Amino acid sequence: MNITVTNKLAQRLMEASGEPVSGQQLADEFGISRTSVWKHIKDLQEKGYEITSVKKKGYVLSDIPDSLEASTIQPLLKTQLLGKTIEYIASTESTQIIAHQLAQTGVSHGTAVLAEEQTAGRGRMARKWDSAYGKGIWMSIILRPDIPVQRAPQFTLIAAVAVVRAIEEVTGLRPDIKWPNDILVNGKKCTGILTELQSDADGIQALIIGIGLNANQEADDFSEEVRNIATSLKMETGKHVSRQELVRSILFYLEQYTEIYIKEGFGVLKLMWESYSTTIGKKVRARMARETLEGIAEGITDDGVLQLRTADGKLHGIYSADIEMEK
Ligand code: BTN
């Protein structure tokens, strides 16, 4: 069975928005026989697509499976480049690993790697990332911006703003960002972002933006270690959320903000990041590998470095730390 034709057929039926499309029309459009159309339809039905055959009218798609396969994401995607190539793997160690490998083979800007499950999902500071099957969005996006290496951390902040906008749009929730890149809803973490880099003497070859978004977990789905500090969008809204809509929306906003960044610089995006930040203006404790500092988080620099003023009046630049905030 030709997977690409099956996926394109699914895409065609999705774009018909519930209107019937005749077998003959599909056969003509795809240059295949009607029997072959029927076989592809059967294949889709087995994958969980609800397709009915209406007499004399054609095939009607009424529901699609809750999966992150390209055929479920791409039809309604509103981007020019991001997500136009999707590498889908049902189960993998980490989408970051796959994305790094793909980036080295020269795949294009905007390629996204998506998995239903990660068996060794990784977080910041070498932590593990819970990535239960079918419950969240485990995605790594390969970007190839033409910017100097030292500006790469800004993309973590831009990605955080894109994810927040997507969550707002799809669920109506109002998330906060905790520096540098934790997205919280009602004080608990629902998304983490891990940005990694491939670079050489010529500059950035690829940015790998890893996004782990807890969509439809229940409390029991989280390991004991994180149960008290993690949440999912389903737990916060009381409703199952569409991972497909979220992926499309994240890709859309990330593309928009990348364009703004390239044209206008970081300024307006920094303001957006600050407007969602719960860290700025608060008394915080920053735990770093060698020391812990307490003080007021005054802001971030253009490079995304947190400015922390300690009681002795000194201003410290924090590059990487775990942040605890006073309530
Ligand atoms: C964090 O520690 O807050 C960052 C978590 C990032 C998790 C995502 S899930 C998709 C991608 N693959 C990984 O192994 N990690 C990132």
Side-chain angles (χ1 to χ4, degrees), residues 12 22 27 83 92 96 118 135 140 144 169 174 182 209 212 214 216 225 229 234 237 252 256 259 265 272 305 326:
R12 174 70 177 86
S22 78
T92 181
Q96 290 294 97
Q118 298 184 117
K135 301 277 179 171
S140 299
R144 298 193 185 276
E169 183 177 84
R174 177 75 164 81
D182 288 356
I209 310 230
N214 300 327
N216 289 313
E225 251 174 292
I229 52 169
K234 183 178 180 192
T237 57
F252 174 76
Q256 297 285 307
E259 271 172 30
M272 284 174 84
V305 178
E326 268 193 4

mmCIF file of all heavy atoms in Angstrom, residues 12 22 27 83 92 96 118 135 140 144 169 174 182 209 212 214 216 225 229 234 237 252 256 259 265 272 305 326:
data_model
loop_
_atom_site.group_PDB
_atom_site.id
_atom_site.type_symbol
_atom_site.label_atom_id
_atom_site.label_comp_id
_atom_site.label_asym_id
_atom_site.label_seq_id
_atom_site.Cartn_x
_atom_site.Cartn_y
_atom_site.Cartn_z
ATOM 1 N N ARG A 12 -7.291 14.974 1.585
ATOM 2 C CA ARG A 12 -8.332 15.439 0.639
ATOM 3 C C ARG A 12 -9.710 15.390 1.306
ATOM 4 O O ARG A 12 -10.515 16.315 1.173
ATOM 5 C CB ARG A 12 -8.276 14.547 -0.614
ATOM 6 C CG ARG A 12 -9.368 14.784 -1.633
ATOM 7 C CD ARG A 12 -9.157 16.130 -2.322
ATOM 8 N NE ARG A 12 -10.151 16.339 -3.346
ATOM 9 C CZ ARG A 12 -11.355 16.858 -3.123
ATOM 10 N NH1 ARG A 12 -11.716 17.210 -1.895
ATOM 11 N NH2 ARG A 12 -12.209 17.029 -4.120
ATOM 12 N N SER A 22 -16.732 11.814 -4.315
ATOM 13 C CA SER A 22 -17.029 10.536 -4.964
ATOM 14 C C SER A 22 -15.763 9.725 -5.228
ATOM 15 O O SER A 22 -14.673 10.281 -5.416
ATOM 16 C CB SER A 22 -17.779 10.770 -6.283
ATOM 17 O OG SER A 22 -16.865 11.180 -7.272
ATOM 18 N N ALA A 27 -10.435 8.794 -7.636
ATOM 19 C CA ALA A 27 -9.650 7.965 -8.562
ATOM 20 C C ALA A 27 -9.002 8.859 -9.625
ATOM 21 O O ALA A 27 -7.805 8.732 -9.910
ATOM 22 C CB ALA A 27 -10.549 6.914 -9.211
ATOM 23 N N GLY A 83 6.510 22.460 9.674
ATOM 24 C CA GLY A 83 5.632 21.290 9.673
ATOM 25 C C GLY A 83 5.262 20.801 8.288
ATOM 26 O O GLY A 83 4.446 19.891 8.152
ATOM 27 N N THR A 92 9.723 6.244 20.248
ATOM 28 C CA THR A 92 11.160 6.466 20.055
ATOM 29 C C THR A 92 11.789 6.825 21.394
ATOM 30 O O THR A 92 11.072 7.193 22.331
ATOM 31 C CB THR A 92 11.404 7.602 19.027
ATOM 32 O OG1 THR A 92 12.810 7.769 18.852
ATOM 33 C CG2 THR A 92 10.837 8.932 19.490
ATOM 34 N N GLN A 96 14.383 14.389 20.133
ATOM 35 C CA GLN A 96 15.586 15.222 19.974
ATOM 36 C C GLN A 96 16.667 14.429 19.232
ATOM 37 O O GLN A 96 17.348 14.970 18.363
ATOM 38 C CB GLN A 96 16.146 15.657 21.338
ATOM 39 C CG GLN A 96 15.317 16.657 22.102
ATOM 40 C CD GLN A 96 15.214 18.024 21.443
ATOM 41 O OE1 GLN A 96 14.233 18.300 20.756
ATOM 42 N NE2 GLN A 96 16.182 18.881 21.629
ATOM 43 N N GLN A 118 7.855 8.661 24.106
ATOM 44 C CA GLN A 118 9.318 8.654 24.176
ATOM 45 C C GLN A 118 9.721 7.749 25.341
ATOM 46 O O GLN A 118 9.193 7.888 26.442
ATOM 47 C CB GLN A 118 9.861 10.050 24.438
ATOM 48 C CG GLN A 118 9.531 11.052 23.336
ATOM 49 C CD GLN A 118 10.172 12.409 23.590
ATOM 50 O OE1 GLN A 118 10.989 12.855 22.825
ATOM 51 N NE2 GLN A 118 9.803 13.047 24.680
ATOM 52 N N LYS A 135 -0.521 10.767 25.074
ATOM 53 C CA LYS A 135 -1.101 11.710 26.042
ATOM 54 C C LYS A 135 -0.636 13.141 25.840
ATOM 55 O O LYS A 135 -1.276 14.077 26.291
ATOM 56 C CB LYS A 135 -0.717 11.294 27.474
ATOM 57 C CG LYS A 135 -1.160 9.915 27.864
ATOM 58 C CD LYS A 135 -2.594 9.928 28.323
ATOM 59 C CE LYS A 135 -3.042 8.532 28.697
ATOM 60 N NZ LYS A 135 -4.326 8.511 29.339
ATOM 61 N N SER A 140 10.035 17.768 18.198
ATOM 62 C CA SER A 140 11.286 18.512 18.017
ATOM 63 C C SER A 140 11.237 19.182 16.654
ATOM 64 O O SER A 140 10.998 18.513 15.645
ATOM 65 C CB SER A 140 12.498 17.579 18.092
ATOM 66 O OG SER A 140 12.542 16.951 19.359
ATOM 67 N N ARG A 144 16.537 26.594 10.931
ATOM 68 C CA ARG A 144 17.865 26.965 10.418
ATOM 69 C C ARG A 144 17.941 28.480 10.242
ATOM 70 O O ARG A 144 18.055 28.975 9.117
ATOM 71 C CB ARG A 144 18.124 26.250 9.083
ATOM 72 C CG ARG A 144 18.143 24.716 9.198
ATOM 73 C CD ARG A 144 18.693 24.103 7.954
ATOM 74 N NE ARG A 144 18.641 22.654 7.944
ATOM 75 C CZ ARG A 144 19.557 21.848 8.502
ATOM 76 N NH1 ARG A 144 20.566 22.370 9.169
ATOM 77 N NH2 ARG A 144 19.446 20.539 8.397
ATOM 78 N N GLU A 169 -5.114 29.907 22.543
ATOM 79 C CA GLU A 169 -6.037 29.823 21.407
ATOM 80 C C GLU A 169 -6.886 28.547 21.454
ATOM 81 O O GLU A 169 -8.086 28.569 21.228
ATOM 82 C CB GLU A 169 -5.227 29.855 20.109
ATOM 83 C CG GLU A 169 -6.064 29.850 18.854
ATOM 84 C CD GLU A 169 -5.176 29.951 17.628
ATOM 85 O OE1 GLU A 169 -4.661 28.918 17.165
ATOM 86 O OE2 GLU A 169 -4.981 31.075 17.146
ATOM 87 N N ARG A 174 -4.973 30.661 30.464
ATOM 88 C CA ARG A 174 -4.013 31.769 30.411
ATOM 89 C C ARG A 174 -2.729 31.319 31.108
ATOM 90 O O ARG A 174 -2.564 31.516 32.321
ATOM 91 C CB ARG A 174 -4.651 33.003 31.085
ATOM 92 C CG ARG A 174 -3.782 34.242 31.208
ATOM 93 C CD ARG A 174 -3.630 34.949 29.860
ATOM 94 N NE ARG A 174 -3.122 36.314 29.960
ATOM 95 C CZ ARG A 174 -1.836 36.643 30.096
ATOM 96 N NH1 ARG A 174 -0.913 35.711 30.227
ATOM 97 N NH2 ARG A 174 -1.474 37.919 30.134
ATOM 98 N N ASP A 182 9.697 27.288 31.285
ATOM 99 C CA ASP A 182 8.640 26.411 31.805
ATOM 100 C C ASP A 182 7.305 27.100 31.598
ATOM 101 O O ASP A 182 7.146 28.277 31.943
ATOM 102 C CB ASP A 182 8.810 26.193 33.322
ATOM 103 C CG ASP A 182 9.990 25.294 33.635
ATOM 104 O OD1 ASP A 182 10.605 24.788 32.682
ATOM 105 O OD2 ASP A 182 10.275 25.114 34.828
ATOM 106 N N ILE A 209 14.447 22.579 18.512
ATOM 107 C CA ILE A 209 13.581 23.054 19.595
ATOM 108 C C ILE A 209 12.684 21.900 20.028
ATOM 109 O O ILE A 209 11.782 21.486 19.282
ATOM 110 C CB ILE A 209 12.710 24.231 19.115
ATOM 111 C CG1 ILE A 209 13.609 25.252 18.441
ATOM 112 C CG2 ILE A 209 11.852 24.789 20.253
ATOM 113 C CD1 ILE A 209 13.484 26.636 18.853
ATOM 114 N N GLY A 212 7.829 19.613 24.968
ATOM 115 C CA GLY A 212 7.085 18.542 25.631
ATOM 116 C C GLY A 212 5.860 19.156 26.282
ATOM 117 O O GLY A 212 5.980 19.945 27.224
ATOM 118 N N ASN A 214 2.167 18.553 28.047
ATOM 119 C CA ASN A 214 1.249 17.601 28.673
ATOM 120 C C ASN A 214 -0.178 17.958 28.280
ATOM 121 O O ASN A 214 -0.706 18.970 28.719
ATOM 122 C CB ASN A 214 1.387 17.657 30.201
ATOM 123 C CG ASN A 214 2.786 17.323 30.659
ATOM 124 O OD1 ASN A 214 3.463 16.520 30.031
ATOM 125 N ND2 ASN A 214 3.230 17.947 31.735
ATOM 126 N N ASN A 216 -3.199 15.419 27.634
ATOM 127 C CA ASN A 216 -4.380 14.698 28.132
ATOM 128 C C ASN A 216 -4.077 13.709 29.257
ATOM 129 O O ASN A 216 -4.829 12.758 29.463
ATOM 130 C CB ASN A 216 -5.056 13.977 26.950
ATOM 131 C CG ASN A 216 -5.732 14.979 26.030
ATOM 132 O OD1 ASN A 216 -6.443 15.879 26.489
ATOM 133 N ND2 ASN A 216 -5.496 14.853 24.733
ATOM 134 N N GLU A 225 7.532 11.385 41.183
ATOM 135 C CA GLU A 225 8.510 12.475 41.289
ATOM 136 C C GLU A 225 7.933 13.838 40.900
ATOM 137 O O GLU A 225 8.262 14.852 41.491
ATOM 138 C CB GLU A 225 9.629 12.181 40.288
ATOM 139 C CG GLU A 225 10.939 11.781 40.862
ATOM 140 C CD GLU A 225 11.843 11.398 39.704
ATOM 141 O OE1 GLU A 225 11.558 10.365 39.065
ATOM 142 O OE2 GLU A 225 12.789 12.159 39.440
ATOM 143 N N ILE A 229 4.037 18.707 40.923
ATOM 144 C CA ILE A 229 4.428 19.956 40.252
ATOM 145 C C ILE A 229 4.005 20.003 38.788
ATOM 146 O O ILE A 229 4.158 21.018 38.128
ATOM 147 C CB ILE A 229 5.955 20.202 40.365
ATOM 148 C CG1 ILE A 229 6.725 18.952 39.901
ATOM 149 C CG2 ILE A 229 6.364 20.586 41.769
ATOM 150 C CD1 ILE A 229 8.213 19.198 39.723
ATOM 151 N N LYS A 234 -5.728 18.858 30.043
ATOM 152 C CA LYS A 234 -7.000 18.192 30.363
ATOM 153 C C LYS A 234 -7.332 18.353 31.851
ATOM 154 O O LYS A 234 -8.479 18.628 32.218
ATOM 155 C CB LYS A 234 -6.934 16.708 30.001
ATOM 156 C CG LYS A 234 -8.231 15.988 30.247
ATOM 157 C CD LYS A 234 -8.160 14.547 29.852
ATOM 158 C CE LYS A 234 -9.490 13.869 30.120
ATOM 159 N NZ LYS A 234 -9.375 12.413 30.027
ATOM 160 N N THR A 237 -8.572 21.989 32.242
ATOM 161 C CA THR A 237 -9.820 22.420 31.583
ATOM 162 C C THR A 237 -10.969 21.463 31.892
ATOM 163 O O THR A 237 -12.132 21.793 31.663
ATOM 164 C CB THR A 237 -9.673 22.439 30.040
ATOM 165 O OG1 THR A 237 -9.268 21.131 29.619
ATOM 166 C CG2 THR A 237 -8.681 23.468 29.565
ATOM 167 N N PHE A 252 2.214 27.375 13.768
ATOM 168 C CA PHE A 252 1.787 28.651 13.178
ATOM 169 C C PHE A 252 2.445 29.827 13.913
ATOM 170 O O PHE A 252 3.070 30.685 13.301
ATOM 171 C CB PHE A 252 0.259 28.767 13.232
ATOM 172 C CG PHE A 252 -0.242 30.108 12.782
ATOM 173 C CD1 PHE A 252 -0.284 30.432 11.434
ATOM 174 C CD2 PHE A 252 -0.650 31.060 13.706
ATOM 175 C CE1 PHE A 252 -0.722 31.676 11.009
ATOM 176 C CE2 PHE A 252 -1.091 32.313 13.291
ATOM 177 C CZ PHE A 252 -1.130 32.623 11.935
ATOM 178 N N GLN A 256 5.253 32.586 12.707
ATOM 179 C CA GLN A 256 4.988 34.038 12.731
ATOM 180 C C GLN A 256 6.066 34.775 13.510
ATOM 181 O O GLN A 256 6.589 35.784 13.066
ATOM 182 C CB GLN A 256 3.650 34.315 13.447
ATOM 183 C CG GLN A 256 2.428 33.739 12.782
ATOM 184 C CD GLN A 256 2.044 34.535 11.561
ATOM 185 O OE1 GLN A 256 1.892 35.738 11.655
ATOM 186 N NE2 GLN A 256 1.947 33.879 10.443
ATOM 187 N N GLU A 259 9.439 34.989 11.894
ATOM 188 C CA GLU A 259 9.457 36.035 10.851
ATOM 189 C C GLU A 259 9.621 37.417 11.475
ATOM 190 O O GLU A 259 10.403 38.241 11.006
ATOM 191 C CB GLU A 259 8.152 35.996 10.042
ATOM 192 C CG GLU A 259 8.249 35.052 8.863
ATOM 193 C CD GLU A 259 6.929 34.851 8.168
ATOM 194 O OE1 GLU A 259 6.081 35.772 8.166
ATOM 195 O OE2 GLU A 259 6.736 33.750 7.633
ATOM 196 N N GLY A 265 13.842 41.966 14.871
ATOM 197 C CA GLY A 265 14.684 41.717 16.040
ATOM 198 C C GLY A 265 13.872 41.198 17.221
ATOM 199 O O GLY A 265 12.680 40.896 17.100
ATOM 200 N N MET A 272 6.616 40.524 24.715
ATOM 201 C CA MET A 272 5.565 39.500 24.835
ATOM 202 C C MET A 272 5.942 38.476 25.894
ATOM 203 O O MET A 272 5.134 38.085 26.724
ATOM 204 C CB MET A 272 5.350 38.787 23.493
ATOM 205 C CG MET A 272 4.572 39.601 22.504
ATOM 206 S SD MET A 272 4.508 38.774 20.912
ATOM 207 C CE MET A 272 3.140 37.678 21.165
ATOM 208 N N VAL A 305 19.234 36.284 29.406
ATOM 209 C CA VAL A 305 19.872 36.045 30.709
ATOM 210 C C VAL A 305 19.050 36.732 31.801
ATOM 211 O O VAL A 305 18.694 37.906 31.678
ATOM 212 C CB VAL A 305 21.320 36.611 30.709
ATOM 213 C CG1 VAL A 305 21.979 36.413 32.061
ATOM 214 C CG2 VAL A 305 22.131 35.952 29.609
ATOM 215 N N GLU A 326 8.849 32.981 45.509
ATOM 216 C CA GLU A 326 8.039 33.157 46.714
ATOM 217 C C GLU A 326 6.615 33.372 46.289
ATOM 218 O O GLU A 326 6.347 34.089 45.352
ATOM 219 C CB GLU A 326 8.536 34.370 47.493
ATOM 220 C CG GLU A 326 9.538 33.966 48.508
ATOM 221 C CD GLU A 326 9.816 35.081 49.518
ATOM 222 O OE1 GLU A 326 9.162 36.136 49.448
ATOM 223 O OE2 GLU A 326 10.679 34.858 50.370
#
